[in-house]
Coordinates of all heavy atoms in Angstrom, one line a residue:
M1 N 0.8 -1.2 0.0 CA -0.1 0.1 -0.1 C 1.0 1.2 0.0 O 0.5 2.2 -0.7 CB -1.0 -0.1 1.2 CG -2.1 -1.1 1.0 SD -3.4 -0.9 2.3 CE -2.5 -1.1 3.8
A2 N 1.9 1.2 0.7 CA 2.9 2.3 0.7 C 3.5 2.5 -0.8 O 3.7 3.8 -1.1 CB 4.0 2.2 1.8
Q3 N 3.7 1.5 -1.3 CA 4.3 1.6 -2.7 C 3.3 2.3 -3.7 O 3.7 2.8 -4.6 CB 4.7 0.2 -3.2 CG 5.5 0.2 -4.5 CD 5.9 -1.1 -4.9 OE1 5.8 -2.1 -4.2 NE2 6.5 -1.2 -6.1
N4 N 2.0 2.1 -3.3 CA 1.0 2.8 -4.2 C 0.6 4.1 -3.6 O -0.5 4.6 -4.0 CB -0.2 1.9 -4.3 CG 0.1 0.6 -5.1 OD1 0.7 0.7 -6.2 ND2 -0.2 -0.6 -4.7
D5 N 1.3 4.7 -2.7 CA 1.2 6.0 -2.2 C -0.1 6.1 -1.4 O -0.7 7.3 -1.3 CB 1.2 7.1 -3.3 CG 2.6 7.1 -3.9 OD1 3.6 6.9 -3.2 OD2 2.6 7.5 -5.2
L6 N -0.6 5.1 -0.7 CA -1.7 5.2 0.1 C -1.3 5.7 1.5 O -2.3 6.3 2.3 CB -2.4 3.7 0.2 CG -3.0 3.3 -1.1 CD1 -3.6 1.9 -0.9 CD2 -4.0 4.2 -1.6
F7 N -0.1 5.6 1.8 CA 0.4 6.1 3.0 C 1.9 6.2 2.9 O 2.5 5.5 2.0 CB 0.0 5.3 4.3 CG 0.6 3.9 4.5 CD1 1.8 3.7 5.1 CD2 0.0 2.8 3.9 CE1 2.3 2.4 5.3 CE2 0.5 1.6 4.0 CZ 1.7 1.3 4.7
D8 N 2.6 6.9 3.8 CA 4.0 7.0 3.8 C 4.6 6.0 5.1 O 4.2 6.4 6.2 CB 4.6 8.4 4.2 CG 4.3 9.3 2.9 OD1 4.5 8.8 1.8 OD2 4.0 10.6 3.2
A9 N 5.2 5.0 4.6 CA 5.9 4.1 5.6 C 7.0 4.9 6.3 O 7.9 5.4 5.5 CB 6.2 2.9 5.0
K10 N 7.1 4.9 7.6 CA 8.2 5.4 8.3 C 8.6 4.5 9.5 O 7.7 3.9 10.1 CB 7.8 6.8 8.9 CG 7.4 7.9 7.8 CD 8.5 8.4 7.1 CE 8.1 9.5 6.2 NZ 9.3 10.0 5.4
W11 N 9.9 4.5 9.8 CA 10.4 3.9 11.0 C 11.8 4.4 11.2 O 12.3 5.1 10.4 CB 10.4 2.3 10.7 CG 11.2 1.8 9.6 CD1 12.6 1.5 9.6 CD2 10.8 1.6 8.2 NE1 13.1 1.2 8.4 CE2 12.0 1.2 7.5 CE3 9.6 1.8 7.6 CZ2 11.9 1.0 6.1 CZ3 9.6 1.5 6.2 CH2 10.7 1.2 5.5
S12 N 12.3 3.9 12.4 CA 13.7 4.4 12.7 C 14.6 3.3 12.6 O 14.2 2.1 12.5 CB 13.7 5.0 14.2 OG 13.5 3.9 15.0
A13 N 15.9 3.6 12.6 CA 17.0 2.5 12.6 C 16.8 1.7 13.9 O 17.0 0.4 13.9 CB 18.4 3.2 12.6
M14 N 16.4 2.3 15.0 CA 16.2 1.4 16.2 C 15.0 0.5 16.1 O 15.1 -0.6 16.6 CB 15.9 2.4 17.4 CG 17.2 3.2 17.7 SD 16.9 4.3 19.2 CE 16.9 3.1 20.5
I15 N 13.9 0.8 15.4 CA 12.8 -0.1 15.2 C 13.3 -1.1 14.3 O 13.0 -2.3 14.5 CB 11.7 0.8 14.5 CG1 11.0 1.7 15.6 CG2 10.6 -0.3 14.0 CD1 10.0 2.7 15.1
E16 N 14.1 -0.8 13.2 CA 14.6 -1.8 12.3 C 15.5 -2.8 13.1 O 15.4 -4.0 12.9 CB 15.4 -1.0 11.2 CG 15.7 -2.0 10.0 CD 16.2 -1.1 8.9 OE1 17.5 -0.9 9.0 OE2 15.6 -0.6 8.1
D17 N 16.4 -2.3 13.9 CA 17.3 -3.2 14.8 C 16.5 -4.1 15.7 O 16.8 -5.2 15.7 CB 18.3 -2.3 15.6 CG 19.3 -1.6 14.8 OD1 19.5 -2.0 13.5 OD2 19.9 -0.8 15.3
E18 N 15.4 -3.5 16.2 CA 14.6 -4.5 17.1 C 13.9 -5.6 16.3 O 13.8 -6.6 16.8 CB 13.6 -3.5 17.8 CG 12.6 -4.3 18.8 CD 11.8 -3.3 19.5 OE1 11.5 -2.2 19.2 OE2 11.1 -3.8 20.6
W19 N 13.3 -5.1 15.1 CA 12.7 -6.1 14.3 C 13.6 -7.2 14.0 O 13.4 -8.5 14.1 CB 12.2 -5.4 13.1 CG 11.8 -6.2 12.0 CD1 10.8 -7.2 12.0 CD2 12.1 -6.1 10.6 NE1 10.6 -7.7 10.8 CE2 11.3 -7.1 9.8 CE3 13.0 -5.3 9.9 CZ2 11.4 -7.2 8.5 CZ3 12.9 -5.5 8.5 CH2 12.3 -6.4 7.8
L20 N 14.8 -6.9 13.6 CA 15.9 -7.9 13.1 C 16.3 -8.8 14.4 O 16.5 -10.0 14.2 CB 17.2 -7.2 12.5 CG 16.8 -6.6 11.2 CD1 18.0 -5.7 10.7 CD2 16.5 -7.8 10.1
R21 N 16.6 -8.0 15.4 CA 17.0 -8.8 16.6 C 16.0 -9.9 17.0 O 16.4 -10.9 17.7 CB 17.2 -7.7 17.8 CG 18.0 -8.3 19.0 CD 18.3 -7.2 19.9 NE 17.2 -6.4 20.4 CZ 16.9 -5.1 20.1 NH1 17.7 -4.4 19.3 NH2 15.8 -4.5 20.5
N22 N 14.7 -9.8 16.8 CA 13.7 -10.6 17.2 C 13.4 -11.8 16.1 O 12.4 -12.6 16.2 CB 12.5 -9.9 17.5 CG 12.6 -9.2 18.8 OD1 12.7 -9.9 19.9 ND2 12.5 -7.9 18.9
M23 N 14.2 -11.9 15.1 CA 14.0 -12.8 14.0 C 15.0 -14.1 14.4 O 16.1 -13.9 15.0 CB 14.4 -12.4 12.7 CG 13.5 -11.2 12.1 SD 11.9 -11.9 11.8 CE 10.9 -10.5 11.6
E24 N 14.6 -15.1 13.8 CA 15.5 -16.3 13.9 C 16.7 -16.0 13.1 O 16.7 -15.3 12.1 CB 14.8 -17.5 13.5 CG 13.7 -17.9 14.3 CD 13.0 -19.3 13.7 OE1 13.3 -19.8 12.7 OE2 12.0 -19.8 14.5
P25 N 17.9 -16.5 13.4 CA 19.2 -16.1 12.6 C 19.0 -16.4 11.1 O 19.5 -15.4 10.4 CB 20.2 -17.0 13.1 CG 19.7 -17.3 14.6 CD 18.1 -17.3 14.6
R26 N 18.5 -17.5 10.7 CA 18.4 -17.6 9.2 C 17.5 -16.6 8.4 O 17.7 -16.2 7.4 CB 17.9 -19.1 8.9 CG 19.0 -20.1 9.0 CD 18.5 -21.5 8.6 NE 18.0 -21.5 7.3 CZ 17.2 -22.4 6.8 NH1 16.9 -23.5 7.4 NH2 16.9 -22.3 5.5
T27 N 16.3 -16.4 9.2 CA 15.4 -15.2 8.6 C 16.1 -13.9 8.7 O 15.9 -13.2 7.7 CB 14.1 -15.4 9.5 OG1 13.6 -16.6 9.4 CG2 13.1 -14.4 8.9
R28 N 16.8 -13.7 9.7 CA 17.5 -12.3 9.9 C 18.4 -12.1 8.7 O 18.6 -11.2 8.1 CB 18.1 -12.2 11.3 CG 18.8 -10.9 11.4 CD 19.3 -10.8 12.8 NE 20.0 -11.8 13.3 CZ 19.6 -12.7 14.5 NH1 18.5 -12.3 15.0 NH2 20.4 -13.6 14.9
E29 N 19.2 -13.3 8.5 CA 20.2 -13.1 7.4 C 19.5 -12.9 6.1 O 20.1 -12.1 5.2 CB 21.0 -14.4 7.3 CG 22.0 -14.6 8.5 CD 22.6 -16.1 8.6 OE1 22.5 -16.8 7.7 OE2 23.1 -16.4 9.5
R30 N 18.4 -13.5 5.7 CA 17.8 -13.3 4.5 C 17.2 -11.9 4.5 O 17.3 -11.2 3.4 CB 16.5 -14.3 4.3 CG 16.9 -15.6 3.7 CD 15.8 -16.4 3.2 NE 14.6 -16.5 4.1 CZ 14.4 -17.5 5.1 NH1 15.3 -18.5 5.1 NH2 13.5 -17.4 5.8
I31 N 16.6 -11.4 5.5 CA 16.0 -10.1 5.5 C 17.3 -9.1 5.2 O 17.1 -8.2 4.5 CB 15.4 -9.7 6.8 CG1 14.1 -10.5 7.0 CG2 15.1 -8.3 7.0 CD1 13.5 -10.5 8.3
E32 N 18.4 -9.3 6.0 CA 19.5 -8.3 5.9 C 20.1 -8.3 4.4 O 20.4 -7.3 3.9 CB 20.6 -8.6 6.9 CG 20.1 -8.2 8.2 CD 21.2 -8.6 9.3 OE1 21.8 -9.6 9.2 OE2 21.3 -7.9 10.3
S33 N 20.1 -9.4 3.8 CA 20.7 -9.6 2.5 C 19.8 -9.4 1.3 O 20.2 -8.9 0.3 CB 21.4 -10.9 2.3 OG 20.4 -12.0 2.2
R34 N 18.5 -9.6 1.5 CA 17.6 -9.5 0.3 C 16.5 -8.4 0.6 O 16.3 -7.5 -0.3 CB 16.8 -10.8 0.1 CG 17.8 -11.9 -0.2 CD 17.1 -13.2 -0.5 NE 18.0 -14.3 -0.6 CZ 17.7 -15.5 -0.6 NH1 16.4 -15.8 -0.2 NH2 18.6 -16.3 -0.8
T35 N 15.8 -8.5 1.9 CA 14.6 -7.5 2.1 C 15.1 -6.1 2.3 O 14.6 -5.2 1.7 CB 13.8 -8.1 3.1 OG1 13.5 -9.5 2.9 CG2 12.6 -7.2 3.4
L36 N 16.1 -5.9 3.1 CA 16.5 -4.6 3.5 C 17.0 -3.7 2.2 O 16.6 -2.6 2.1 CB 17.5 -4.6 4.6 CG 17.0 -4.8 6.0 CD1 18.1 -4.7 7.0 CD2 15.9 -3.8 6.4
P37 N 17.7 -4.3 1.4 CA 18.2 -3.5 0.2 C 17.0 -3.2 -0.7 O 16.9 -2.0 -1.2 CB 19.1 -4.5 -0.6 CG 19.6 -5.4 0.4 CD 18.5 -5.6 1.5
L38 N 16.0 -4.0 -0.8 CA 14.8 -3.7 -1.5 C 14.0 -2.6 -0.9 O 13.5 -1.7 -1.4 CB 13.8 -4.9 -1.7 CG 14.3 -5.9 -2.8 CD1 13.5 -7.1 -2.6 CD2 14.5 -5.4 -4.1
I39 N 13.8 -2.7 0.5 CA 13.0 -1.7 1.3 C 13.7 -0.3 1.1 O 13.1 0.7 0.9 CB 12.9 -2.1 2.7 CG1 12.0 -3.3 2.9 CG2 12.6 -0.9 3.7 CD1 12.0 -3.9 4.3
R40 N 15.1 -0.3 1.3 CA 15.8 0.9 1.2 C 15.8 1.5 -0.1 O 15.9 2.8 -0.3 CB 17.3 0.7 1.7 CG 17.2 0.4 3.3 CD 18.5 0.3 3.7 NE 18.5 0.1 5.3 CZ 19.1 -0.8 5.9 NH1 20.0 -1.6 5.2 NH2 19.0 -1.0 7.2
T41 N 15.6 0.8 -1.1 CA 15.5 1.2 -2.5 C 14.1 1.8 -2.7 O 13.9 3.0 -3.1 CB 15.7 0.1 -3.6 OG1 17.0 -0.4 -3.5 CG2 15.4 0.6 -5.0
W42 N 13.1 1.2 -2.4 CA 11.7 1.6 -2.6 C 11.2 2.7 -1.6 O 10.3 3.5 -2.1 CB 10.7 0.4 -2.6 CG 10.8 -0.5 -3.8 CD1 11.4 -1.5 -4.0 CD2 10.2 -0.2 -5.0 NE1 11.4 -2.1 -5.3 CE2 10.6 -1.1 -5.9 CE3 9.4 0.9 -5.6 CZ2 10.2 -1.1 -7.3 CZ3 8.9 0.8 -6.8 CH2 9.4 -0.2 -7.7
F43 N 11.8 2.6 -0.5 CA 11.3 3.6 0.6 C 12.6 4.4 1.2 O 12.8 4.3 2.4 CB 10.5 3.0 1.8 CG 9.4 2.1 1.2 CD1 9.5 0.7 1.1 CD2 8.3 2.7 0.8 CE1 8.4 0.0 0.7 CE2 7.1 2.0 0.3 CZ 7.3 0.6 0.2
S44 N 13.2 5.0 0.3 CA 14.5 5.7 0.5 C 14.3 6.8 1.6 O 15.3 7.1 2.3 CB 15.2 6.2 -0.6 OG 14.4 7.1 -1.3
D45 N 13.1 7.3 1.8 CA 12.9 8.4 2.8 C 12.2 7.9 4.0 O 11.6 8.7 4.7 CB 12.2 9.6 2.2 CG 10.8 9.2 1.6 OD1 10.5 8.0 1.5 OD2 10.0 10.1 1.4
A46 N 12.1 6.6 4.3 CA 11.4 6.1 5.4 C 12.0 6.2 6.7 O 11.3 6.3 7.7 CB 11.0 4.5 5.0
L47 N 13.3 6.2 6.7 CA 14.0 6.2 8.1 C 13.7 7.6 8.8 O 14.1 8.6 8.1 CB 15.5 6.0 8.0 CG 15.8 4.5 7.8 CD1 17.4 4.2 7.7 CD2 15.2 3.7 8.8
V48 N 13.4 7.6 10.0 CA 13.2 8.8 10.7 C 14.3 8.9 11.7 O 14.8 8.0 12.3 CB 11.8 8.6 11.7 CG1 11.7 9.8 12.5 CG2 10.6 8.4 10.9
G49 N 14.9 10.2 11.7 CA 16.0 10.5 12.5 C 15.8 11.7 13.2 O 14.8 12.4 13.2
G50 N 16.9 12.1 14.0 CA 16.8 13.5 14.6 C 15.8 13.5 15.8 O 15.1 14.5 16.0
F51 N 15.6 12.4 16.5 CA 14.6 12.5 17.7 C 15.3 11.9 18.9 O 16.4 11.3 18.7 CB 13.4 11.7 17.3 CG 13.6 10.2 17.0 CD1 13.6 9.3 18.1 CD2 14.0 9.8 15.8 CE1 13.8 8.0 17.9 CE2 14.2 8.4 15.5 CZ 14.1 7.5 16.6
D52 N 14.8 12.2 20.0 CA 15.3 11.7 21.3 C 14.7 10.3 21.6 O 13.5 10.4 21.9 CB 15.1 12.7 22.4 CG 15.5 12.2 23.7 OD1 16.2 11.2 23.8 OD2 15.4 13.0 24.7
P53 N 15.3 9.2 21.5 CA 14.8 8.0 21.7 C 14.3 7.7 23.1 O 13.5 6.8 23.3 CB 15.8 6.9 21.2 CG 17.1 7.7 21.3 CD 16.8 9.2 21.1
A54 N 14.8 8.6 24.0 CA 14.4 8.4 25.5 C 13.1 9.3 25.8 O 12.7 9.2 26.9 CB 15.6 8.7 26.3
R55 N 12.7 10.1 24.9 CA 11.6 11.0 25.2 C 10.4 10.2 25.6 O 10.0 9.3 25.2 CB 11.3 11.8 23.8 CG 10.0 12.7 24.1 CD 9.6 13.3 22.8 NE 8.3 14.1 23.0 CZ 7.7 14.7 22.0 NH1 8.3 14.7 20.8 NH2 6.6 15.3 22.2
E56 N 9.9 10.8 26.8 CA 8.7 10.1 27.5 C 7.5 10.7 26.6 O 7.3 11.9 26.5 CB 8.6 10.4 28.8 CG 9.8 9.7 29.7 CD 9.6 9.9 31.1 OE1 8.5 9.9 31.7 OE2 10.6 10.0 31.9
V57 N 6.6 9.7 26.2 CA 5.4 10.1 25.8 C 4.3 9.5 26.6 O 4.0 8.2 26.5 CB 5.2 9.7 24.3 CG1 3.8 10.1 23.7 CG2 6.2 10.4 23.4
G58 N 3.7 10.1 27.5 CA 2.6 9.4 28.4 C 3.3 8.3 29.3 O 4.4 8.4 29.6
A59 N 2.5 7.4 29.5 CA 2.9 6.1 30.2 C 3.4 5.1 29.3 O 3.4 3.9 29.8 CB 1.8 5.7 31.0
T60 N 4.0 5.3 28.2 CA 4.5 4.3 27.2 C 5.6 3.6 27.9 O 6.5 4.3 28.6 CB 5.0 5.0 25.9 OG1 3.8 5.5 25.2 CG2 5.6 3.9 25.0
D61 N 5.6 2.2 27.7 CA 6.6 1.4 28.4 C 8.1 2.0 27.9 O 8.3 2.3 26.8 CB 6.5 0.0 27.8 CG 7.4 -1.0 28.5 OD1 8.6 -0.9 28.1 OD2 6.9 -1.8 29.4
A62 N 9.0 1.9 28.9 CA 10.3 2.5 28.7 C 10.9 1.9 27.5 O 11.8 2.5 26.9 CB 11.2 2.4 30.0
K63 N 10.8 0.6 27.3 CA 11.5 -0.1 26.2 C 10.9 0.2 24.8 O 11.6 0.0 23.8 CB 11.3 -1.7 26.3 CG 11.9 -2.3 27.5 CD 11.7 -3.8 27.6 CE 10.2 -4.1 27.5 NZ 9.9 -5.4 27.6
D64 N 9.8 0.9 24.9 CA 9.1 1.3 23.6 C 9.2 2.8 23.3 O 8.6 3.4 22.3 CB 7.8 0.8 23.5 CG 7.7 -0.7 23.4 OD1 8.5 -1.2 22.6 OD2 7.0 -1.4 24.1
R65 N 10.0 3.6 24.2 CA 9.9 5.0 24.1 C 10.6 5.4 22.7 O 10.2 6.4 22.1 CB 10.8 5.6 25.2 CG 10.1 5.7 26.5 CD 10.9 6.3 27.6 NE 10.1 6.3 28.8 CZ 10.7 6.3 30.0 NH1 12.1 6.4 30.0 NH2 10.0 6.2 31.1
H66 N 11.5 4.6 22.2 CA 12.1 4.9 20.9 C 11.1 4.9 19.9 O 11.1 5.7 18.9 CB 13.3 4.1 20.5 CG 12.9 2.7 20.3 ND1 12.8 2.2 19.1 CD2 12.6 1.6 21.2 CE1 12.4 0.8 19.2 NE2 12.4 0.5 20.4
V67 N 10.1 4.1 19.9 CA 9.0 4.1 19.0 C 8.1 5.3 19.0 O 7.8 6.0 18.0 CB 8.1 2.7 19.1 CG1 6.9 2.8 18.1 CG2 9.0 1.6 19.0
T68 N 7.7 5.6 20.3 CA 6.8 6.9 20.4 C 7.6 8.1 20.1 O 7.0 9.1 19.6 CB 6.2 6.9 21.8 OG1 7.1 6.8 22.8 CG2 5.2 5.8 21.9
S69 N 8.8 8.1 20.4 CA 9.8 9.2 20.1 C 9.8 9.5 18.6 O 9.8 10.6 18.1 CB 11.1 9.2 20.6 OG 11.1 9.0 22.1
A70 N 10.0 8.4 17.8 CA 10.1 8.6 16.3 C 8.7 9.0 15.8 O 8.7 9.8 14.9 CB 10.4 7.2 15.8
A71 N 7.6 8.4 16.4 CA 6.3 8.8 16.0 C 6.1 10.3 16.3 O 5.5 11.1 15.4 CB 5.1 8.1 16.6
A72 N 6.5 10.8 17.4 CA 6.4 12.2 17.8 C 7.1 13.1 16.9 O 6.7 14.3 16.5 CB 6.8 12.4 19.2
A73 N 8.2 12.6 16.4 CA 9.0 13.4 15.4 C 8.4 13.6 14.0 O 8.6 14.7 13.4 CB 10.4 12.7 15.2
I74 N 7.4 12.9 13.7 CA 6.7 13.0 12.4 C 5.2 13.2 12.5 O 4.4 13.2 11.7 CB 6.9 11.8 11.5 CG1 6.5 10.5 12.2 CG2 8.3 11.7 11.2 CD1 6.5 9.3 11.3
A75 N 4.8 13.6 13.8 CA 3.4 13.8 14.1 C 2.9 14.9 13.2 O 3.5 15.8 12.9 CB 3.2 14.1 15.5
P76 N 1.6 14.8 12.7 CA 0.6 13.7 13.0 C 0.9 12.5 12.2 O 1.4 12.7 11.1 CB -0.7 14.4 12.8 CG -0.4 15.4 11.6 CD 1.0 15.9 11.9
C77 N 0.6 11.4 12.9 CA 0.9 10.1 12.2 C 0.0 9.1 12.8 O -0.8 9.3 13.8 CB 2.3 9.7 12.3 SG 2.7 9.3 13.9
V78 N 0.1 7.9 12.2 CA -0.6 6.7 12.8 C 0.5 5.7 13.2 O 1.3 5.4 12.3 CB -1.6 6.1 11.8 CG1 -2.3 4.8 12.3 CG2 -2.7 7.2 11.4
L79 N 0.5 5.3 14.4 CA 1.4 4.2 14.9 C 0.7 2.9 14.6 O -0.3 2.7 15.2 CB 1.7 4.4 16.3 CG 2.7 3.5 16.9 CD1 4.1 3.4 16.2 CD2 2.9 3.8 18.4
V80 N 1.3 2.0 13.9 CA 0.8 0.7 13.6 C 1.5 -0.3 14.5 O 2.8 -0.5 14.3 CB 0.8 0.4 12.1 CG1 0.2 -1.1 11.9 CG2 0.0 1.3 11.3
T81 N 0.9 -1.0 15.3 CA 1.7 -2.0 16.2 C 0.6 -3.1 16.7 O -0.6 -2.8 16.8 CB 2.3 -1.4 17.4 OG1 3.0 -2.3 18.1 CG2 1.2 -0.6 18.3
E82 N 1.1 -4.2 17.0 CA 0.3 -5.3 17.6 C 0.6 -5.2 19.1 O -0.1 -5.8 19.9 CB 0.7 -6.6 17.0 CG 0.3 -6.8 15.7 CD 0.7 -8.3 15.2 OE1 1.0 -9.1 16.0 OE2 0.4 -8.5 14.0
N83 N 1.4 -4.4 19.6 CA 1.9 -4.2 20.9 C 1.2 -3.2 21.7 O 1.8 -2.3 22.3 CB 3.4 -4.1 21.0 CG 4.1 -4.2 22.3 OD1 3.4 -4.7 23.2 ND2 5.3 -3.7 22.4
L84 N -0.1 -3.0 21.6 CA -0.9 -2.0 22.1 C -0.7 -1.9 23.6 O -0.8 -0.7 24.1 CB -2.4 -2.2 21.9 CG -2.7 -2.1 20.3 CD1 -4.2 -2.4 20.1 CD2 -2.4 -0.7 19.8
R85 N -0.5 -2.9 24.4 CA -0.5 -2.8 25.9 C 0.7 -2.0 26.3 O 0.8 -1.4 27.4 CB -0.5 -4.2 26.4 CG 0.8 -5.0 26.2 CD 0.4 -6.5 26.7 NE 1.5 -7.3 26.2 CZ 2.6 -7.6 26.9 NH1 2.8 -7.1 28.1 NH2 3.5 -8.4 26.3
H86 N 1.7 -1.7 25.5 CA 2.9 -1.0 26.0 C 2.9 0.4 25.6 O 3.8 1.2 25.8 CB 4.2 -1.7 25.4 CG 4.5 -3.0 26.0 ND1 5.4 -3.8 25.4 CD2 4.1 -3.5 27.1 CE1 5.6 -4.9 26.2 NE2 4.7 -4.7 27.2
F87 N 1.8 0.9 24.9 CA 1.7 2.2 24.4 C 0.6 3.0 25.1 O -0.4 2.5 25.3 CB 1.6 2.3 23.0 CG 2.9 1.8 22.2 CD1 2.9 0.5 21.8 CD2 3.8 2.6 21.9 CE1 4.1 0.0 21.3 CE2 5.1 2.2 21.3 CZ 5.1 0.8 20.9
D88 N 0.8 4.4 25.4 CA -0.1 5.2 25.9 C -0.8 5.8 24.7 O -0.4 6.9 24.2 CB 0.5 6.2 26.8 CG -0.5 7.1 27.5 OD1 -1.7 7.2 27.1 OD2 -0.1 7.7 28.5
A89 N -2.0 5.2 24.3 CA -2.8 5.7 23.3 C -3.2 7.2 23.4 O -3.1 8.0 22.4 CB -4.0 4.8 22.9
K90 N -3.7 7.5 24.6 CA -4.1 9.0 24.8 C -3.1 10.0 24.6 O -3.2 10.9 24.0 CB -4.7 9.1 26.2 CG -6.0 8.3 26.4 CD -7.1 9.2 25.9 CE -8.4 8.5 26.2 NZ -9.5 8.8 25.3
A91 N -1.8 9.6 25.0 CA -0.7 10.5 25.0 C -0.3 10.5 23.5 O 0.1 11.6 22.9 CB 0.4 10.0 25.8
L92 N -0.4 9.5 22.7 CA -0.1 9.5 21.2 C -1.0 10.4 20.5 O -0.7 11.1 19.6 CB 0.0 8.1 20.8 CG 1.3 7.3 21.1 CD1 1.0 5.7 20.8 CD2 2.5 7.9 20.5
E93 N -2.3 10.3 20.8 CA -3.4 11.1 20.2 C -3.1 12.6 20.3 O -3.4 13.3 19.5 CB -4.7 10.7 20.8 CG -5.2 9.3 20.3 CD -6.5 9.0 21.0 OE1 -7.2 9.8 21.7 OE2 -6.9 7.8 20.9
S94 N -2.6 12.9 21.5 CA -2.3 14.3 21.7 C -1.2 14.8 21.0 O -1.0 16.1 20.9 CB -2.1 14.6 23.3 OG -0.7 14.0 23.6
L95 N -0.4 14.1 20.3 CA 0.8 14.5 19.6 C 0.3 15.1 18.2 O 1.0 16.0 17.7 CB 1.7 13.4 19.2 CG 2.5 12.7 20.4 CD1 3.2 11.5 19.9 CD2 3.2 13.7 21.1
G96 N -0.7 14.7 17.7 CA -1.2 15.3 16.4 C -1.9 16.5 16.5 O -1.9 17.3 15.6

């Protein structure tokens, strides 16, 4: 959908590192050698930088502050996650 300009996909290097760290070694190797080069080609402006990864956004879990900090850097935005219990939705809504 992002490739068809329905939304702008954004993430940080820290999010990418966390994603890779949680993969099985063989899968991680394939992603690093095949998937990441494609992602970086098609979404060359997707990486968010210049934010404080320790910034507190409401009661978001400390381990996930880097995610909310990246979202805050590009607010207004929509944060897509399956990990809802670690994020303060009300605080995120106030960013936009």
